[in-house]
Amino acid sequence: MEPTSLFLFGLTTGVAVSAGARYVENLVMSRSVSSSPALPPLADRPRRRSVRYQDEVHRPDDDDSGDDIPSALVRLRKQFNVPAEKLTQIVRHMVAEMKKGLHDDHQTMKMIPSHVIRRPNGNETGSFLALDLGGSNFRVCEVILEGNGITRMRQKKFTVREDLKTGGGAELFDFLADCVASFMAETENKFNKEERKKLGFTFSFPVQQTSINAGVLMSWTKGFHASDVVGNDVVQLLQEAFHRKNVNVNVTALVNDTTGTLISHAYQSPNTYIGVILGTGTNAAYVEQLGNIPKLKDAASFNSDEMIINTEWGAFDQENVVLPFTEYDFKVDRASINPRQQAFEKVISGMYLGEIVRLVMLDLIETGELFAGKSSEILKTKYQFETAYMSRIERDHTLDLSDTKAVLEDIVKIPKTSRTDRVIVKGICELVGRRSARLSAAGIAAIVTKINRLDGCTVAVDGSLFELYPHFANRMRDALREILGLSAENIVLEQARDGSGQGAALIAALAEE
Ligand code: BGC
């Protein structure tokens, strides 16, 4: 079947060009400080500007002391608040779990050695394809590294239909190959059919990587459930699909989106030691000393002291030892296609936040505390209250919460809402959104503590929650201060973009060397 593209090639070119231009500028800036191919030591690295945080507006309903807070919200606050002591406890537990994962396989935090041991130095050249699969969109990019830090990029996005996510694995991989074929056919610079194109594959799921271009899928996440993929080498599956579809491409690198984010950001900001995704799913990768990875038996064969580790922190605490799961989180987990897995992801990531809010609203409708006890078909349907609605509601600072009214009445089709209803819904979004940001900060604090970088470190963060959700970065920053005290000022959170495209191409280029 022909893949459906989300954006036409011509439309994305402008975006890609401007992203490319920014990238060029960044590369040029980074060249003088990034000439060492090994991951550089922390000392004497330049500090870069962090993202600018919006000032969070503290409204009356942010304030615990007010008398007129609906009692439902007071009750929910007790369940969703994560105080500083709890965050510290989470940090301690995560550091211990990270160590366990570095020691042995089959631990909750998988701590996967990425086999990426070098950073780009700006001199890499060549033309690479980069694929990005990790959510509802599949992206195909052509990245041209021209040397001297100059990069050009074209891309095309395709929608991954629900039936492909949960159908047969071969169909999913055939779809990917069809998309690549369609991209190659449409690209203005017609690809030379004789030349075997090299490809970096960003596959953002837990993969036990056995080399830079081989890895076995351990489990699906984020609503994917395609059969016959878990337990198999995803590069081989992709390569076989290319073969079936007669696409002349060689997969030379397999990359997690967090590793791609770290590598592409380190290219412009060499003090980057951590890459984090806060989007549909969540995860982090960081730079570890090879000597601290006892489970890596052939460590001596790597000509480096360091390697990037993909933590797969989304799985953290699936035994439920420290995470403050509420009754609503348990419900989300039980009804998910991967119950008792990805506990941290389910309280943080964009895939689940709207669903948590939906379940809280249904509960309050049941008790008659919301919408005069009236619901709607949309609200009764799983995953139909999107995290993007929460964003819109949290951004609504009108006196009568008119945009919240539009979301609830026009989109969610609640027959009628009062201002109190809307205050309650906004309050629920704040509680769930703030908890997500605070728990993400705890994850970052754990990694910074583990690698002993409290004196300074840049964290590259990509994903829609961090980029678009109101106050998210501020709330993370507040929590970091509560956990780390003054040292929090040394941790720079920077917005990263497109690690999955550029990062994959750079890693493919490095793999070639
Ligand atoms: C996956 C990770 C990925 C993260 C962000 C999680 O569900 O397990 O591999 O990095 O989502 O895309």
Side-chain angles (χ1 to χ4, degrees), residues 80-305:
F80 282 94
N81 267 353
V82 193
E85 312 81 71
K86 186 63 176 172
L87 292 175
T88 311
Q89 205 187 336
I90 292 170
V91 170
R92 250 189 258 120
H93 191 56
M94 188 180 276
V95 172
E97 291 292 290
M98 287 172 75
K99 287 184 183 157
K100 278 200 216 162
L102 290 170
H103 216 273
D104 299 301
D105 286 334
H106 312 298
Q107 296 296 321
T108 307
M109 281 185 74
K110 299 184 186 74
M111 306 299 285
I112 301 163
S114 68
H115 293 249
V116 176
I117 50 166
R118 301 182 53 217
R119 283 188 327 125
N121 61 20
N123 295 328
E124 291 71 24
T125 54
S127 161
F128 298 89
L129 284 174
L131 306 189
D132 176 13
L133 180 72
S136 297
N137 292 325
F138 172 58
R139 210 157 50 104
V140 185
C141 319
E142 185 194 16
V143 184
I144 300 170
L145 308 172
E146 297 196 327
N148 294 325
I150 297 171
T151 301
R152 285 190 290 128
M153 190 167 117
R154 300 163 205 272
Q155 64 172 338
K156 189 173 174 188
K157 267 188 194 175
F158 302 85
T159 304
V160 184
R161 297 186 319 267
E162 286 306 310
D163 59 303
L164 284 170
K165 291 185 187 171
T166 54
E171 285 80 62
L172 175 64
F173 280 86
D174 277 351
F175 165 79
L176 305 186
D178 281 338
C179 294
V180 175
S182 129
F183 176 83
M184 290 173 80
E186 282 173 35
T187 300
E188 286 162 36
N189 279 358
K190 287 278 185 242
F191 286 93
N192 175 355
K193 291 230 162 56
E194 304 310 311
E195 184 202 340
R196 193 148 197 232
K197 204 77 186 152
K198 294 176 197 90
L199 181 146
F201 183 22
T202 300
F203 183 75
S204 303
F205 299 95
V207 162
Q208 186 65 58
Q209 203 135 357
T210 47
S211 76
I212 193 68
N213 67 343
V216 170
L217 178 65
M218 301 158 94
S219 55
W220 283 115
T221 58
K222 295 177 284 196
F224 278 72
H225 215 266
S227 58
D228 305 322
V229 185
V230 172
N232 291 298
D233 179 352
V234 291
V235 170
Q236 200 183 330
L237 294 179
L238 182 62
Q239 205 67 70
E240 284 167 6
F242 284 143
H243 188 72
R244 284 195 293 277
K245 301 283 176 179
N246 224 347
V247 180
N248 195 13
V249 164
N250 186 17
V251 186
T252 56
L254 175 63
V255 181
N256 186 266
D257 51 356
T258 53
T259 305
T261 298
L262 200 169
I263 279 290
S264 74
H265 204 73
Y267 203 28
Q268 52 176 285
S269 196
N271 202 22
T272 308
Y273 275 84
I274 302 174
V276 174
I277 301 288
L278 292 166
T280 307
T282 184
N283 189 15
Y286 74 100
V287 180
E288 183 57 279
Q289 298 298 309
L290 270 188
N292 291 340
I293 319 174
K295 71 177 178 185
L296 196 65
K297 299 296 175 237
D298 53 351
S301 66
F302 292 97
N303 193 12
S304 170
D305 293 337

Side-chain angles (χ1 to χ4, degrees), residues 23-48:
Y23 188 49
V24 168
E25 185 188 298
N26 291 333
L27 292 178
V28 171
M29 283 170 65
S30 71
R31 282 177 56 71
S32 57
V33 288
S34 63
S35 55
S36 155
L39 290 157
L42 178 71
D44 69 30
R45 289 188 182 168
R47 268 279 198 85
R48 287 180 58 95

